[in-house]
Amino acid sequence: MPGVLLGDVFPNFEADTTIGKIQFHDFLGDSWGILFSHPRDFTPVCTTELGRAAKLSGEFARRSVKMIALSIDSVQDHLAWSKDIVAYNGEAPDSMLPFPIIADEKRELAIQLGMLDPDEKDKDGIPLTARCVFVIGPDKKLKLSILYPATTGRNFDEILRTVDSLQLTAQKRVATPVDWKLGDSCMVLPNIPEDEAAKLFPAGVYTKDLPSGKKYLRYTPQP
């Protein structure tokens, strides 16, 4: 089956974009990356999504994350649509989107990466691109993927939150619990013995008492 699994090296594809032809790994360099696909240009949900992504671009940049979008229309359509997105955001007409958009007119990347939505089709009956999110690490491996149907817009604040978790847990031996946000307490990994945890987390480890008597709910301030 086409697609990329967690831990796979992300394909180093070549593509035409709104900033010219790119080689994906060269575009990423040593940064983290986020690739997010869209069903079609000049559509309402996609416009709101790219508008929000643009507003959060500074937050992604501060985390050393390069952003790139993908849609199945042409570069020319992308450039024209970008003006609508800029207007939607209430910005000056000569403003530019802070990230490129890939032109995948033949759906080659959509097929290779498993991004087609079989339930949403264009006027010719051909499936549109689903709303995919791929987060790629500096090692060019896939760290996270999220797949939404074409009818459901994404929450880019949540995507930013997942990046915070991915970057933290790539460096520290912790996990992030439900609804975690940057600065909140983290979970100590179950495979870390108590004596080692005390050395790893000098700020302290709090263990919640449970009816089972098992000491697996261990919290520590974000390291």
Side-chain angles (χ1 to χ4, degrees):
M1 294 290 291
V4 187
L5 301 178
L6 293 180
D8 286 353
V9 173
F10 207 83
N12 186 25
F13 58 82
E14 185 176 82
D16 291 320
T17 79
T18 49
I19 60 169
K21 191 177 291 291
I22 66 159
Q23 201 77 29
F24 189 56
H25 287 190
D26 291 340
F27 168 78
L28 293 177
D30 296 326
S31 300
W32 288 70
I34 173 173
L35 189 160
F36 44 104
S37 63
H38 299 268
R40 197 109 229 190
D41 293 3
F42 304 106
T43 54
V45 177
C46 297
T47 300
T48 63
E49 286 190 319
L50 263 71
R52 182 58 179 159
K55 284 187 175 295
L56 286 174
S57 62
E59 292 297 324
F60 283 102
R62 274 190 278 278
R63 291 157 172 82
S64 189
V65 179
K66 287 194 172 179
M67 308 170 72
I68 189 165
L70 178 149
S71 184
I72 57 175
D73 295 283
S74 66
V75 168
Q76 290 72 25
D77 281 343
H78 290 346
L79 291 171
W81 179 39
S82 296
K83 296 179 182 179
D84 288 357
I85 299 166
V86 166
Y88 166 77
N89 274 353
E91 298 173 2
D94 59 349
S95 298
M96 303 289 291
L97 285 181
F99 48 79
I101 307 176
I102 295 168
D104 189 28
E105 291 183 88
K106 297 180 180 178
R107 293 174 169 80
E108 292 173 347
L109 279 175
I111 292 169
Q112 180 184 3
L113 301 176
M115 297 191 296
L116 292 180
D117 184 344
D119 292 328
E120 296 294 327
K121 300 178 181 179
D122 64 14
K123 58 182 176 58
D124 298 317
I126 300 174
L128 296 174
T129 317
R131 301 184 191 281
C132 298
V133 179
F134 297 113
V135 178
I136 301 105
D139 58 1
K140 307 299 184 293
K141 292 182 179 180
L142 180 65
K143 305 300 182 182
L144 176 144
S145 64
I146 310 174
L147 178 62
Y148 290 70
T151 49
T152 301
R154 286 160 287 196
N155 184 327
F156 276 80
D157 294 273
E158 166 62 8
I159 295 168
L160 189 66
R161 189 191 74 88
T162 65
V163 168
D164 285 335
S165 174
L166 289 168
Q167 293 186 339
L168 173 66
T169 57
Q171 299 295 326
K172 304 294 183 181
R173 294 174 65 186
V174 293
T176 57
V178 63
D179 296 334
W180 175 88
K181 298 183 295 297
L182 202 61
D184 289 352
S185 292
C186 301
M187 313 296 292
V188 178
L189 296 176
N191 62 354
I192 300 177
E194 286 189 34
D195 57 343
E196 186 180 357
K199 296 175 183 177
L200 283 173
F201 308 112
V205 176
Y206 162 71
T207 304
K208 183 172 180 61
D209 292 329
L210 298 169
S212 67
K214 298 181 184 296
K215 298 182 178 181
Y216 59 88
L217 274 182
R218 298 182 295 171
Y219 297 85
T220 189
Q222 180 183 313

